[in-house]
């Protein structure tokens, strides 16, 4: 059985338990923006008729920049590189168009 829990929540839960350190923990760090690009590309392709690489598909849905910053990186940084938050944000923004 696999259980997934954000690191901050996990640390809060095990902070005062006597069994701390006796469990097997695998930490998954999402720090590569190209992984997020692939996640978003696959989701967009699966739910639209669009095809192409990430930049081609992204530019058909979103503006390329917010002020001088790349729009994807702008969103990624503001969702703290959390996959679920990124997907939710992009889904909500795309409803506005």
């Amino acid at each position: 059985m696999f259980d997934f829990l954000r690191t901050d929540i996990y640390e809060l839960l095990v902070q005062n338990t006597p069994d701390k350190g006796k469990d097997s923990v695998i930490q998954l760090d999402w720090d590569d923006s190209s992984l997020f690009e692939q996640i978003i590309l696959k989701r967009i392709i699966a739910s639209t008729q669009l095809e192409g690489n990430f930049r081609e598909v992204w530019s058909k849905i979103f503006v390329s920049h917010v002020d001088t910053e790349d729009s994807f990186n702008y969103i990624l940084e503001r969702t703290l590189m959390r996959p679920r938050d990124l997907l939710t944000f992009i889904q909500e923004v795309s409803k506005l168009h």
Side-chain angles (χ1 to χ4, degrees):
M1 179 177 168
F2 295 97
D3 293 319
F4 299 95
L5 195 60
R6 283 189 359 219
T7 303
D8 56 335
I9 295 171
Y10 173 78
E11 288 297 326
L12 183 64
L13 291 173
V14 298
Q15 183 174 340
N16 296 316
T17 62
D19 292 337
K20 184 176 182 178
K22 294 182 182 178
D23 54 354
S24 297
V25 177
I26 298 172
Q27 290 191 352
L28 177 62
D29 289 328
W30 292 90
D31 59 0
D32 184 355
S33 63
S34 65
L35 292 175
F36 284 94
E37 288 180 359
Q38 292 307 308
I39 291 169
I40 298 303
L41 178 61
K42 289 179 181 184
R43 293 291 294 258
I44 291 172
I45 288 174
S47 60
T48 68
Q49 301 295 320
L50 299 175
E51 293 183 12
N53 67 39
F54 176 78
R55 289 293 158 195
E56 293 169 343
V57 171
W58 181 261
S59 67
K60 292 177 184 176
I61 301 172
F62 298 98
V63 297
S64 64
H65 289 80
V66 175
D67 292 327
T68 60
E69 188 174 353
D70 174 79
S71 61
F72 182 74
N73 290 332
Y74 180 89
I75 295 169
L76 190 59
E77 287 179 16
R78 281 148 185 85
T79 55
L80 305 175
M81 295 187 90
R82 293 180 177 155
R84 184 177 300 141
D85 292 345
L86 175 64
L87 290 170
T88 301
F89 184 86
I90 289 173
Q91 186 176 32
E92 291 299 318
V93 169
S94 65
K95 287 180 185 177
L96 299 174
H97 293 110

